[in-house]
Amino acid sequence: MKKILFVALAVLGLSACNSGPEFKVEGEISGADGKMLYLEASALEGIVPLDSVKLKSDGTFAFKQACPVSPEFYRLRVDDKVINFSIDSAETVRFNAPYTDFSTAYTVEGSANSVKIKELTLKQMQLQTNVNALIQSMQAHKIGTDVFEDSLATLMKDYKDEVKINYIFAAPNTAAAYFALFQKLNNYLIFDPLNNKDDVKCFAAVATSLNNYYPHADRSKNLYNIVIKGMKNTRAPQQKVVELPTEAVSETGIIDINLRDMKGNMHKLSDLKGKAVILDFTIYQSAVSPTHNYMLRDLYDKYAGQGLEIYQVSLDADEHYWKTTADNLPWICVRDANGVYSSIAAAYNVQSLPAVFLINKKSELSARGETIKDLDAAVKALL
């Protein structure tokens, strides 16, 4: 217990003001008589408990804490219900919330950034609801896999465009912009700072602003390191030549692929001759990856017994993340260490990810995703 307390104090000591100004968090939680309300810091190192109070019948509460030297994130928690907010000065932030819909029906005053954080939270929750509904419709066979993929892509594009314009680029020097960068869908970052060049630009905009205002803050340094890594991963190699295996093309009718799985075993795409194959290029560390794999799993479970195989090529920058995620998938999972600048993906003219191709039993390229109106029917026709 003493060790835990020491770590907590050490974390707070890094961000607390030397002169002692404080911020206040107060308000009222209705319908929570006898419940414990916790004030916690959402630090880079994880969640750090700061204070707590047992709520009485009137639900009122008041916390005081040393103000941070740069914008920081905190949360109020009752049971597993959470309200996220930010503090950037010696301010007073007031919350009013019902216990039942604690995380969504609250009001906040005294912090413009915290108002924006609430807006972002509600938008993210609605996005998750819409994506879950898509998955359920596909699994119930109410919509085809093509409609599922198109609808998912539209949902993601619309969400990211709105957040980029209204929350990130509109005010990159705010805590709300930083919060937007790290929102998640299916526990994956919606904005991918390691594999997506456009998303790296979002991180760079916020990193530059934070560095200008708070160059010595831990969050500024951490964000800067993420941007540097993302720029390195997504920077096009100079004079990169795409080498096509012409012999494989003439012999099999496809551009052959020979990559290692997570155990180090080589897998040639051409060795699957005699099976109908879904060739899939993807990034596992992407918000759309789980829903895309749900769709593939639905097809695999339905048609694997009839001769379907999936050959999935990861273009993830993070090899460990790929291994961890792909470990439970039942099909062939390999990785191209060249990432988004894979010569193989270029040879297949992959324009966006994920990208699906169909290969028939003669090992001939049959169709690519954007030309397929009904993926289920197209796969069935190959069997």
Side-chain angles (χ1 to χ4, degrees):
M1 184 67 183
K2 290 183 179 179
K3 184 178 181 181
I4 294 174
L5 180 60
F6 174 78
V7 171
L9 290 173
V11 170
L12 295 175
L14 292 175
S15 60
C17 296
N18 294 326
S19 57
E22 296 177 323
F23 69 86
K24 300 177 183 179
V25 183
E26 59 187 31
E28 181 179 326
I29 312 300
S30 61
D33 185 16
K35 294 285 186 179
M36 292 297 298
L37 175 67
Y38 298 91
L39 174 65
E40 300 170 330
S42 298
L44 285 173
E45 298 83 358
I47 302 300
V48 179
L50 300 178
D51 204 349
S52 64
V53 64
K54 188 173 184 179
L55 295 170
K56 298 181 180 180
S57 58
D58 63 2
T60 58
F61 68 92
F63 296 120
K64 291 182 180 181
Q65 288 291 319
C67 73
V69 295
S70 60
E72 273 297 341
F73 298 91
Y74 301 86
R75 64 185 207 171
L76 293 173
R77 179 175 62 84
V78 178
D79 295 336
D80 59 349
K81 307 170 189 288
V82 170
I83 293 174
N84 292 295
F85 64 100
S86 69
I87 295 291
D88 57 17
S89 64
E91 55 197 320
T92 297
V93 185
R94 181 172 181 82
F95 293 92
N96 283 278
Y99 169 75
T100 305
D101 298 312
F102 182 77
S103 301
T104 57
Y106 68 91
T107 61
V108 54
E109 299 174 352
S111 170
N113 272 303
S114 295
V115 172
K116 293 289 186 182
I117 287 172
K118 179 188 177 182
E119 293 173 6
L120 285 163
T121 298
L122 294 178
K123 289 179 185 297
Q124 182 275 332
M125 293 175 70
Q126 185 60 55
L127 175 65
Q128 185 70 67
T129 298
N130 292 340
V131 170
N132 290 345
L134 271 181
I135 295 172
Q136 292 171 4
S137 294
M138 182 198 66
Q139 292 176 335
H141 303 291
K142 294 180 179 179
I143 61 173
T145 52
D146 54 328
V147 174
F148 170 81
E149 291 277 80
D150 289 345
S151 299
L152 177 61
T154 299
L155 282 174
M156 292 301 299
K157 182 180 183 304
D158 290 348
Y159 185 86
K160 292 176 73 171
D161 285 348
E162 180 185 2
V163 172
K164 284 180 187 178
I165 295 170
N166 296 327
Y167 295 90
I168 296 176
F169 293 130
N173 61 324
T174 63
Y178 183 101
F179 183 85
L181 293 177
F182 293 96
Q183 284 195 294
K184 293 184 177 182
L185 176 72
N186 297 320
N187 292 319
Y188 292 75
L189 288 175
I190 294 173
F191 290 91
D192 183 355
L194 297 182
N195 301 290
N196 187 304
K197 184 182 293 187
D198 289 335
D199 291 355
V200 172
K201 293 177 182 177
C202 295
F203 276 75
V206 179
T208 300
S209 293
L210 274 182
N211 189 62
N212 288 336
Y213 286 93
Y214 311 102
H216 302 297
D218 288 342
R219 287 193 186 274
S220 300
K221 296 174 184 177
N222 181 65
L223 202 58
Y224 177 81
N225 289 335
I226 291 174
V227 171
I228 293 301
K229 187 174 182 180
M231 291 176 66
K232 181 179 178 181
N233 289 339
T234 58
R235 182 181 294 121
Q238 293 183 350
Q239 298 179 340
K240 188 172 181 65
V241 178
V242 177
E243 298 179 358
L244 302 182
T246 54
E247 296 83 0
V249 173
S250 61
E251 292 175 3
T252 66
I254 59 169
I255 299 169
D256 205 3
I257 303 174
N258 190 22
L259 293 170
R260 295 185 185 276
D261 64 16
M262 66 196 73
K263 296 180 180 179
N265 301 317
M266 301 297 295
H267 291 271
K268 292 184 70 174
L269 180 61
S270 57
D271 286 344
L272 299 177
K273 187 174 183 177
K275 288 179 172 287
V277 179
I278 295 177
L279 170 61
D280 184 65
F281 292 90
T282 194
I283 290 177
Y284 291 100
Q285 200 168 12
S286 163
V288 300
S289 176
T291 47
H292 179 70
N293 280 341
Y294 289 150
M295 180 272 292
L296 292 180
R297 186 60 182 260
D298 188 64
L299 291 171
Y300 189 84
D301 290 346
K302 190 173 181 181
Y303 295 118
Q306 301 178 42
L308 173 67
E309 185 56 87
I310 297 176
Y311 188 101
Q312 190 169 51
V313 181
S314 160
L315 303 182
D316 286 82
D318 189 330
E319 181 179 9
H320 176 73
Y321 194 94
W322 159 66
K323 288 182 176 180
T324 302
T325 308
D327 189 48
N328 295 320
L329 296 176
W331 49 75
I332 297 171
C333 299
V334 296
R335 175 176 174 267
D336 190 333
N338 292 314
V340 292
Y341 292 104
S342 161
S343 60
I344 297 169
Y348 273 90
N349 194 28
V350 172
Q351 300 296 316
S352 61
L353 296 170
V356 171
F357 299 83
L358 293 184
I359 298 170
N360 64 25
K361 292 183 178 182
K362 296 179 181 179
S363 203
E364 299 169 335
L365 187 62
S366 175
R368 57 185 299 141
E370 55 265 32
T371 67
I372 303 171
K373 294 183 178 181
D374 186 337
L375 185 56
D376 188 292
V379 169
K380 187 176 182 180
L382 294 179
L383 299 172

Tab-separated table of all heavy atoms in Angstrom, residues 49-73:
chain	number	residue	atom	x	y	z
A	49	PRO	N	-5.452	7.491	-8.587
A	49	PRO	CA	-6.479	7.989	-7.652
A	49	PRO	C	-6.002	9.232	-6.924
A	49	PRO	O	-4.858	9.307	-6.474
A	49	PRO	CB	-6.668	6.811	-6.690
A	49	PRO	CG	-5.390	6.032	-6.761
A	49	PRO	CD	-4.878	6.197	-8.160
A	50	LEU	N	-6.883	10.235	-6.810
A	50	LEU	CA	-6.543	11.485	-6.146
A	50	LEU	C	-7.342	11.715	-4.872
A	50	LEU	O	-6.798	12.088	-3.843
A	50	LEU	CB	-6.767	12.671	-7.095
A	50	LEU	CG	-5.968	12.685	-8.395
A	50	LEU	CD1	-6.350	13.908	-9.221
A	50	LEU	CD2	-4.473	12.676	-8.109
A	51	ASP	N	-8.656	11.501	-4.948
A	51	ASP	CA	-9.505	11.789	-3.796
A	51	ASP	C	-10.825	11.044	-3.974
A	51	ASP	O	-11.147	10.564	-5.069
A	51	ASP	CB	-9.761	13.292	-3.691
A	51	ASP	CG	-10.119	13.734	-2.274
A	51	ASP	OD1	-10.365	12.849	-1.432
A	51	ASP	OD2	-10.173	14.956	-2.041
A	52	SER	N	-11.590	10.968	-2.907
A	52	SER	CA	-12.892	10.305	-2.987
A	52	SER	C	-13.798	10.841	-1.892
A	52	SER	O	-13.332	11.415	-0.900
A	52	SER	CB	-12.729	8.786	-2.840
A	52	SER	OG	-12.224	8.456	-1.563
A	53	VAL	N	-15.097	10.632	-2.079
A	53	VAL	CA	-16.069	11.064	-1.085
A	53	VAL	C	-17.286	10.149	-1.177
A	53	VAL	O	-17.653	9.689	-2.266
A	53	VAL	CB	-16.485	12.534	-1.320
A	53	VAL	CG1	-17.195	12.710	-2.654
A	53	VAL	CG2	-17.362	13.035	-0.190
A	54	LYS	N	-17.868	9.852	-0.029
A	54	LYS	CA	-19.109	9.087	-0.009
A	54	LYS	C	-20.266	10.069	-0.134
A	54	LYS	O	-20.426	10.977	0.696
A	54	LYS	CB	-19.228	8.279	1.283
A	54	LYS	CG	-20.398	7.318	1.287
A	54	LYS	CD	-20.371	6.428	2.530
A	54	LYS	CE	-21.494	5.397	2.486
A	54	LYS	NZ	-21.452	4.511	3.685
A	55	LEU	N	-21.046	9.902	-1.188
A	55	LEU	CA	-22.119	10.852	-1.473
A	55	LEU	C	-23.270	10.699	-0.484
A	55	LEU	O	-23.645	9.581	-0.116
A	55	LEU	CB	-22.629	10.654	-2.904
A	55	LEU	CG	-21.616	10.965	-4.016
A	55	LEU	CD1	-22.150	10.499	-5.361
A	55	LEU	CD2	-21.294	12.455	-4.050
A	56	LYS	N	-23.829	11.825	-0.069
A	56	LYS	CA	-25.001	11.829	0.810
A	56	LYS	C	-26.261	12.013	-0.019
A	56	LYS	O	-26.219	12.054	-1.244
A	56	LYS	CB	-24.849	12.936	1.852
A	56	LYS	CG	-23.637	12.741	2.768
A	56	LYS	CD	-23.532	13.846	3.798
A	56	LYS	CE	-22.325	13.642	4.698
A	56	LYS	NZ	-22.191	14.714	5.715
A	57	SER	N	-27.370	12.146	0.622
A	57	SER	CA	-28.654	12.211	-0.082
A	57	SER	C	-28.751	13.412	-1.012
A	57	SER	O	-29.397	13.350	-2.050
A	57	SER	CB	-29.811	12.252	0.918
A	57	SER	OG	-29.682	13.357	1.803
A	58	ASP	N	-28.088	14.526	-0.674
A	58	ASP	CA	-28.161	15.695	-1.547
A	58	ASP	C	-27.201	15.599	-2.730
A	58	ASP	O	-27.284	16.383	-3.682
A	58	ASP	CB	-27.899	16.990	-0.770
A	58	ASP	CG	-26.501	17.046	-0.166
A	58	ASP	OD1	-25.711	16.109	-0.365
A	58	ASP	OD2	-26.204	18.053	0.500
A	59	GLY	N	-26.262	14.649	-2.690
A	59	GLY	CA	-25.372	14.373	-3.820
A	59	GLY	C	-24.282	15.390	-4.053
A	59	GLY	O	-23.554	15.299	-5.054
A	60	THR	N	-24.113	16.363	-3.189
A	60	THR	CA	-23.111	17.402	-3.427
A	60	THR	C	-21.700	16.890	-3.129
A	60	THR	O	-21.498	16.005	-2.306
A	60	THR	CB	-23.386	18.629	-2.554
A	60	THR	OG1	-23.385	18.245	-1.177
A	60	THR	CG2	-24.722	19.257	-2.916
A	61	PHE	N	-20.728	17.458	-3.831
A	61	PHE	CA	-19.334	17.084	-3.620
A	61	PHE	C	-18.449	18.271	-3.984
A	61	PHE	O	-18.851	19.189	-4.715
A	61	PHE	CB	-18.947	15.873	-4.478
A	61	PHE	CG	-18.926	16.156	-5.958
A	61	PHE	CD1	-17.755	16.567	-6.592
A	61	PHE	CD2	-20.077	16.024	-6.730
A	61	PHE	CE1	-17.732	16.843	-7.950
A	61	PHE	CE2	-20.067	16.298	-8.089
A	61	PHE	CZ	-18.890	16.705	-8.708
A	62	ALA	N	-17.219	18.259	-3.482
A	62	ALA	CA	-16.239	19.293	-3.800
A	62	ALA	C	-14.840	18.714	-3.598
A	62	ALA	O	-14.537	18.151	-2.542
A	62	ALA	CB	-16.442	20.526	-2.931
A	63	PHE	N	-14.021	18.834	-4.636
A	63	PHE	CA	-12.626	18.395	-4.570
A	63	PHE	C	-11.714	19.574	-4.868
A	63	PHE	O	-12.053	20.463	-5.648
A	63	PHE	CB	-12.340	17.291	-5.602
A	63	PHE	CG	-13.097	16.019	-5.392
A	63	PHE	CD1	-13.958	15.542	-6.377
A	63	PHE	CD2	-12.942	15.280	-4.239
A	63	PHE	CE1	-14.648	14.354	-6.207
A	63	PHE	CE2	-13.628	14.086	-4.045
A	63	PHE	CZ	-14.482	13.621	-5.030
A	64	LYS	N	-10.518	19.572	-4.261
A	64	LYS	CA	-9.473	20.527	-4.581
A	64	LYS	C	-8.176	19.770	-4.835
A	64	LYS	O	-7.865	18.809	-4.127
A	64	LYS	CB	-9.266	21.519	-3.433
A	64	LYS	CG	-10.387	22.501	-3.196
A	64	LYS	CD	-10.016	23.464	-2.061
A	64	LYS	CE	-11.128	24.472	-1.802
A	64	LYS	NZ	-10.765	25.419	-0.714
A	65	GLN	N	-7.435	20.222	-5.860
A	65	GLN	CA	-6.147	19.606	-6.166
A	65	GLN	C	-5.192	20.665	-6.693
A	65	GLN	O	-5.611	21.699	-7.226
A	65	GLN	CB	-6.311	18.502	-7.228
A	65	GLN	CG	-6.995	17.253	-6.737
A	65	GLN	CD	-6.165	16.469	-5.743
A	65	GLN	OE1	-4.957	16.331	-5.907
A	65	GLN	NE2	-6.821	15.953	-4.695
A	66	ALA	N	-3.897	20.403	-6.521
A	66	ALA	CA	-2.882	21.300	-7.077
A	66	ALA	C	-3.023	21.366	-8.590
A	66	ALA	O	-3.194	20.333	-9.247
A	66	ALA	CB	-1.485	20.812	-6.699
A	67	CYS	N	-2.956	22.553	-9.150
A	67	CYS	CA	-3.161	22.690	-10.591
A	67	CYS	C	-1.950	22.176	-11.357
A	67	CYS	O	-0.816	22.226	-10.860
A	67	CYS	CB	-3.438	24.145	-10.953
A	67	CYS	SG	-1.998	25.222	-10.860
A	68	PRO	N	-2.149	21.639	-12.562
A	68	PRO	CA	-1.045	21.133	-13.379
A	68	PRO	C	-0.301	22.278	-14.053
A	68	PRO	O	-0.846	23.369	-14.236
A	68	PRO	CB	-1.752	20.248	-14.406
A	68	PRO	CG	-3.101	20.876	-14.570
A	68	PRO	CD	-3.467	21.416	-13.209
A	69	VAL	N	0.943	22.040	-14.441
A	69	VAL	CA	1.731	23.069	-15.114
A	69	VAL	C	1.383	23.169	-16.588
A	69	VAL	O	1.750	24.124	-17.269
A	69	VAL	CB	3.244	22.787	-14.958
A	69	VAL	CG1	3.651	22.896	-13.497
A	69	VAL	CG2	3.609	21.411	-15.519
A	70	SER	N	0.691	22.155	-17.114
A	70	SER	CA	0.220	22.145	-18.499
A	70	SER	C	-1.119	21.421	-18.508
A	70	SER	O	-1.465	20.746	-17.534
A	70	SER	CB	1.231	21.440	-19.404
A	70	SER	OG	1.415	20.094	-18.977
A	71	PRO	N	-1.915	21.556	-19.569
A	71	PRO	CA	-3.227	20.904	-19.585
A	71	PRO	C	-3.139	19.417	-19.271
A	71	PRO	O	-2.315	18.698	-19.840
A	71	PRO	CB	-3.708	21.143	-21.025
A	71	PRO	CG	-3.033	22.403	-21.433
A	71	PRO	CD	-1.674	22.340	-20.785
A	72	GLU	N	-3.990	18.970	-18.353
A	72	GLU	CA	-4.001	17.557	-17.968
A	72	GLU	C	-5.440	17.052	-17.947
A	72	GLU	O	-6.400	17.829	-17.955
A	72	GLU	CB	-3.344	17.357	-16.605
A	72	GLU	CG	-1.838	17.172	-16.671
A	72	GLU	CD	-1.421	15.926	-17.448
A	72	GLU	OE1	-2.267	15.023	-17.634
A	72	GLU	OE2	-0.267	15.860	-17.871
A	73	PHE	N	-5.555	15.729	-17.879
A	73	PHE	CA	-6.864	15.086	-17.954
A	73	PHE	C	-7.194	14.371	-16.656
A	73	PHE	O	-6.333	13.765	-16.015
A	73	PHE	CB	-6.898	14.100	-19.132
A	73	PHE	CG	-6.696	14.782	-20.449
A	73	PHE	CD1	-5.425	14.932	-20.977
A	73	PHE	CD2	-7.775	15.293	-21.153
A	73	PHE	CE1	-5.231	15.582	-22.189
A	73	PHE	CE2	-7.600	15.950	-22.353
A	73	PHE	CZ	-6.322	16.097	-22.876
